[in-house]
């Protein structure tokens, strides 16, 4: 969850080819508009992406949740 979704997304795209879904959110505690970025990554990518996000937005809220199954296109095109 971030107020800097474009910067965060750009920094993630610089290191991985994973898709990102952006949702609008409202912080009920703070009554502030937020963006919720949702992406599924491999366990080996998770730590690097977390560090990347916190570097761009130190106030980002990140929930790292283990997924038992992914159905759909999880293939990642290599960087050229």
């Amino acid at each position: 969850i971030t107020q800097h979704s474009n910067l965060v997304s750009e920094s993630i795209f610089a290191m991985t080819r994973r898709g990102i879904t952006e949702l609008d959110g409202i912080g009920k505690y703070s009554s502030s508009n937020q963006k919720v970025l949702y992406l599924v990554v491999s366990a080996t990518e998770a730590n690097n992406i977390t560090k990347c996000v916190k570097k761009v937005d130190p106030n980002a809220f990140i929930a790292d949740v283990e997924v038992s199954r992914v159905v759909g296109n999880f293939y990642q095109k290599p960087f050229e």
Side-chain angles (χ1 to χ4, degrees):
I1 300 174
T2 181
Q3 292 182 343
H4 308 286
S5 62
N6 288 337
L7 290 174
V8 170
S9 296
E10 288 171 10
S11 66
I12 292 171
F13 283 139
M15 63 184 308
T16 185
R17 299 277 189 192
R18 302 289 183 204
I20 302 171
T21 300
E22 181 177 290
L23 306 166
D24 291 321
I26 299 172
K28 296 310 273 183
Y29 181 77
S30 64
S31 297
S32 62
N33 292 328
Q34 304 285 336
K35 294 293 184 179
V36 179
L37 299 178
Y38 181 81
L39 61 151
V40 177
V41 300
S42 68
T44 56
E45 295 171 299
N47 284 337
N48 288 336
I49 289 175
T50 298
K51 289 176 190 173
C52 172
V53 170
K54 293 304 261 182
K55 188 174 185 179
V56 174
D57 182 4
N59 295 317
F61 178 83
I62 300 170
D64 186 341
V65 179
E66 187 174 332
V67 175
S68 61
R69 186 172 105 160
V70 175
V71 177
N73 188 11
F74 194 66
Y75 173 74
Q76 183 173 335
K77 292 182 182 179
F79 283 108
E80 298 171 7

